[in-house]
Amino acid sequence: MHTCIKGFNAFQLRSIRLIEIVMGLTVATQIILQAILERHNVSIAAHYGMGALAVVPVIASMILIARYLSGEKDEYLRNLVVQSILWGFGLALIVDIFLSFVDHHFFLPIGNINMDVFILTSSITLEFKIQRNQ
Amino acid sequence: MKNRLRVLRAEREWSQAELAQKLEVSRQSVNAIETGKFDPSLPLAFRIARLFETTIEVVFLDVSDIPSPIQSNHSTKEFE
């Protein structure tokens, strides 16, 4: 995402950095919590606790993206971000539905990769759309 | 929607970046509007028109308002 940062104002840069940090935290939290679940026998209460902990960064991402979209004055850029987010959601949904049918054939458990797919797709789409209109 | 933004900008010898600065949008926005990839909102359209000291209709042209060659021939015959 950093390659498309040139020419952005302070608000856009701050928002992008914050969103990147929180999304990174989301992925890290998911990986760590899933690793704990696989290696340790945790109680049902701990399962619920970890589930709640895993969604905190996702909620934070949603708040940050909503704050960015409401504060973004450049309507073209706002339009691009919304389009990229929709692509991200769409592809995450497609991958999730597909894997729900085939994941038992894999040798290694794939785990929950929705957020990873969402972040990757949204970032690549945004980068592509910005580069295309240079 | 077609527009005359590039022509109006060229008349004033402004670069895309200069126009973007005046309109407080990104250069990519100006480029997207000029190439017809993005239609601006009404407030931005008003800002553009105000900057060029003209009306929205002079800057933006509704494609449906432009008569096609067949229509214009037809109307010319009717007129004759």
Side-chain angles (χ1 to χ4, degrees), chain B residues 3-42:
Chain B
N3 66 75
R4 298 182 61 239
L5 196 59
R6 194 184 290 270
V7 178
L8 292 166
R9 180 173 64 77
E11 280 171 3
R12 282 154 184 82
E13 295 179 348
W14 291 341
S15 65
Q16 281 189 343
E18 281 171 324
L19 177 59
Q21 206 179 0
K22 288 178 202 294
L23 291 170
E24 294 177 341
V25 296
S26 63
R27 194 194 57 75
Q28 284 92 344
S29 299
V30 172
N31 189 44
I33 296 167
E34 278 188 3
T35 52
K37 284 179 191 164
F38 176 68
D39 289 333
S41 66
L42 208 48

Side-chain angles (χ1 to χ4, degrees), chain A residues 29-30 32-56:
Chain A
T29 314
Q30 299 251 350
I32 293 165
L33 291 177
Q34 279 179 9
I36 293 170
L37 277 177
E38 280 166 22
R39 285 171 198 155
H40 303 280
N41 229 347
V42 290
S43 65
I44 296 167
H47 261 98
Y48 277 98
M50 287 162 86
L53 195 66
V55 297
V56 169

Side-chain angles (χ1 to χ4, degrees), chain A residues 76 80 83 127-134, chain B residues 31 37:
Chain A
Y76 172 67
L80 288 190
Q83 281 181 24
E127 181 80 41
F128 173 72
K129 281 178 180 288
I130 287 174
Q131 292 300 329
R132 203 174 58 167
N133 194 42
Q134 281 299 327
Chain B
N31 189 44
K37 284 179 191 164

Side-chain angles (χ1 to χ4, degrees), chain A residues 66-83:
Chain A
R67 260 184 57 189
Y68 165 71
L69 289 174
S70 62
E72 177 59 72
K73 286 179 184 162
D74 192 328
E75 56 194 64
Y76 172 67
L77 207 57
R78 194 169 53 225
N79 188 40
L80 288 190
V81 171
V82 171
Q83 281 181 24

Side-chain angles (χ1 to χ4, degrees), chain A residues 48-109:
Chain A
Y48 277 98
M50 287 162 86
L53 195 66
V55 297
V56 169
V58 181
I59 294 167
S61 306
M62 286 164 66
I63 293 167
L64 279 172
I65 292 169
R67 260 184 57 189
Y68 165 71
L69 289 174
S70 62
E72 177 59 72
K73 286 179 184 162
D74 192 328
E75 56 194 64
Y76 172 67
L77 207 57
R78 194 169 53 225
N79 188 40
L80 288 190
V81 171
V82 171
Q83 281 181 24
S84 307
I85 289 170
L86 287 175
W87 270 102
F89 274 127
L91 207 76
L93 212 64
I94 288 167
V95 171
D96 190 51
I97 291 168
F98 181 73
L99 287 181
S100 70
F101 283 93
V102 298
D103 67 346
H104 55 274
H105 294 300
F106 292 116
F107 295 110
L108 293 165

